Amino acid sequence: MKLLLLIVLILKFASSLRGGVNHLNMVLSDAERFKNVDSDKGAMKRVGSKFRNRIGSNEYPAESGRYRIYVSKACPWAHRTLIVRALKGLEDVISVTYTGPHLKHLKESFDPTQSYLYKGWNFDSEICVEPHGFEYLDELYEYAEPGYRESCPQRPSFTVPILFDDKTQTIVNNESGDIIEMLNADFNAFAKNAHLDLNPIALHEAQEQINAIVYPGINDGVYRCGFAQTQAAYEFAYNEHWKAMDKIENLLSEHPFLCGKQITLADIRLFVTLIRYDPVYYSHFKTSRNKLIEMPNLLRFTQAIYHLPGVADTVDIHFIKLHYFGSHDNLNPSGIIPKGPSLNYLLSSCA
């Protein structure tokens, strides 16, 4: 009987892992897979995603016009989904609801006695009308799962992107790594660029090796620098960040993209951090050893991705600065939004 139960459990687990080794890794969220190893009490620790359903099941079949993604144009994790949606030609298949630029009471979210004030991203009707009339993202989470706030083991997490099912009125998934995989593969019947595969099986292992450098050292690495609460935690994060940046700078001297000559999801994951680097992270998160303009291979890479069809339309540098410098009042109490730097060098055609 125990053996039979074990076999059933194994089969159920295996059936959830569509797509081979890459999905085996994605059973855990990026935050869970690449935890901050710094033991300093001042080190930033990111919470994992909770909603992990996938398109292709009987409950959530691939359909055109059924799903929408909630994104902030400021959030790099959400930005991933906008880029994949554009590259695949899914603009008429997956709708988008944009948030405003601000996170309501972000500072209070880190204090257990005040975290009830945190509401997540705001909605601004002048930017985009939220279909339910919600003012803040926490309302959508509570709508999809009543009691969600109380269920969060630490600080409440109201993140984007969100893949939302308009038919069943619920959140399908809020893990960006999952969502970009689904946008790449599960809507090909409706995609204008179905032939484009950003996640080829032959490059799964290579992407995982890259992600193991890029996520903790660069994507989340800049946040670990910016939100460190002690000097020791900041210096640990800073050193790890620049180890990763130097490693990727050297790697990109060998070929145009991270896994060779073909663009993959790993490239999209890196680009969204690099496009924010000089206008935000260099100063705001104190990653200030080098600017992107001083890293020739990373700069060329960023220019190449930016000039792919549809990608430039997903980038809004002014909105990005409004969010970071306007929401992080613990890092920028004055709320002043910097006018610079000029990004003409960054947005020009690559050599």
Side-chain angles (χ1 to χ4, degrees), residues 133-256:
F134 296 145
E135 295 185 54
Y136 295 99
L137 195 63
D138 69 328
E139 297 172 80
L140 181 69
Y141 273 86
E142 286 293 326
Y143 175 76
E145 184 175 309
Y148 172 80
R149 179 187 289 270
E150 286 72 21
S151 72
C152 296
Q154 302 172 33
R155 60 186 288 262
S157 178
F158 306 116
T159 60
V160 288
I162 292 170
L163 180 63
F164 189 83
D165 182 3
D166 283 340
K167 183 175 181 179
T168 62
Q169 288 292 293
T170 195
I171 296 173
V172 179
N173 198 295
N174 69 335
E175 168 62 32
S176 66
D178 291 354
I179 296 172
I180 59 176
E181 284 189 359
M182 290 185 276
L183 294 178
N184 174 68
D186 294 334
F187 294 93
N188 278 338
F190 317 104
K192 293 177 183 176
N193 301 320
H195 63 282
L196 175 65
D197 186 4
L198 298 167
N199 193 27
I201 294 176
L203 294 179
H204 278 184
E205 184 176 349
Q207 287 189 83
E208 285 305 308
Q209 292 173 357
I210 293 295
N211 293 340
I213 300 169
V214 169
Y215 181 88
I218 300 177
N219 294 151
D220 202 41
V222 294
Y223 282 82
R224 295 176 187 184
C225 291
F227 286 101
Q229 297 297 303
T230 67
Q231 185 68 31
Y234 163 71
E235 291 184 8
F236 181 90
Y238 178 93
N239 291 335
E240 292 299 303
H241 170 63
W242 280 107
K243 285 179 187 177
M245 289 285 279
D246 288 338
K247 189 173 293 187
I248 297 300
E249 169 72 8
N250 292 332
L251 176 67
L252 288 171
S253 69
E254 301 172 3
H255 34 68

Side-chain angles (χ1 to χ4, degrees), residues 22-33:
N22 207 37
H23 286 291
L24 175 61
N25 288 324
M26 292 310 294
V27 169
L28 297 177
S29 68
D30 283 349
E32 293 166 326
R33 293 164 60 207

Side-chain angles (χ1 to χ4, degrees), residues 72-323:
S72 166
K73 290 184 287 185
C75 172
W77 279 266
H79 193 183
R80 298 173 176 182
T81 65
L82 288 177
I83 293 174
V84 176
R85 174 177 175 265
L87 292 177
K88 292 291 292 188
L90 291 170
E91 292 90 341
D92 298 329
V93 179
I94 308 291
S95 57
V96 177
T97 297
Y98 293 98
T99 73
H102 301 301
L103 286 169
K104 184 70 170 179
H105 293 302
L106 176 62
K107 181 179 179 180
E108 287 79 4
S109 73
F110 296 97
D111 181 350
T113 66
Q114 293 187 297
S115 61
Y116 67 92
L117 295 171
Y118 181 53
K119 293 182 175 295
W121 295 91
N122 72 306
F123 291 109
D124 185 336
S125 59
E126 293 186 6
I127 296 173
C128 186
V129 175
E130 201 287 317
H132 307 89
F134 296 145
E135 295 185 54
Y136 295 99
L137 195 63
D138 69 328
E139 297 172 80
L140 181 69
Y141 273 86
E142 286 293 326
Y143 175 76
E145 184 175 309
Y148 172 80
R149 179 187 289 270
E150 286 72 21
S151 72
C152 296
Q154 302 172 33
R155 60 186 288 262
S157 178
F158 306 116
T159 60
V160 288
I162 292 170
L163 180 63
F164 189 83
D165 182 3
D166 283 340
K167 183 175 181 179
T168 62
Q169 288 292 293
T170 195
I171 296 173
V172 179
N173 198 295
N174 69 335
E175 168 62 32
S176 66
D178 291 354
I179 296 172
I180 59 176
E181 284 189 359
M182 290 185 276
L183 294 178
N184 174 68
D186 294 334
F187 294 93
N188 278 338
F190 317 104
K192 293 177 183 176
N193 301 320
H195 63 282
L196 175 65
D197 186 4
L198 298 167
N199 193 27
I201 294 176
L203 294 179
H204 278 184
E205 184 176 349
Q207 287 189 83
E208 285 305 308
Q209 292 173 357
I210 293 295
N211 293 340
I213 300 169
V214 169
Y215 181 88
I218 300 177
N219 294 151
D220 202 41
V222 294
Y223 282 82
R224 295 176 187 184
C225 291
F227 286 101
Q229 297 297 303
T230 67
Q231 185 68 31
Y234 163 71
E235 291 184 8
F236 181 90
Y238 178 93
N239 291 335
E240 292 299 303
H241 170 63
W242 280 107
K243 285 179 187 177
M245 289 285 279
D246 288 338
K247 189 173 293 187
I248 297 300
E249 169 72 8
N250 292 332
L251 176 67
L252 288 171
S253 69
E254 301 172 3
H255 34 68
F257 299 112
L258 292 172
C259 297
K261 295 182 178 180
Q262 181 175 349
I263 185 174
T264 65
L265 294 178
D267 297 297
I268 307 306
R269 287 167 170 259
L270 176 61
F271 171 82
V272 295
T273 298
L274 297 183
I275 198 69
R276 290 160 172 77
Y277 205 88
D278 287 3
V280 177
Y281 301 144
Y282 178 85
S283 60
H284 190 56
F285 283 171
K286 307 178 185 69
T287 63
S288 48
R289 193 197 76 180
N290 294 93
K291 293 181 178 178
L292 186 64
I293 195 174
E294 298 166 340
M295 310 286 285
N297 297 320
L298 286 166
L299 175 61
R300 173 194 50 76
F301 168 88
T302 305
Q303 291 170 328
I305 301 290
Y306 180 83
H307 287 281
L308 293 173
V311 173
D313 291 337
T314 70
V315 178
D316 188 334
I317 296 298
H318 177 66
F319 191 93
I320 288 169
K321 291 195 292 185
L322 278 179
H323 161 63

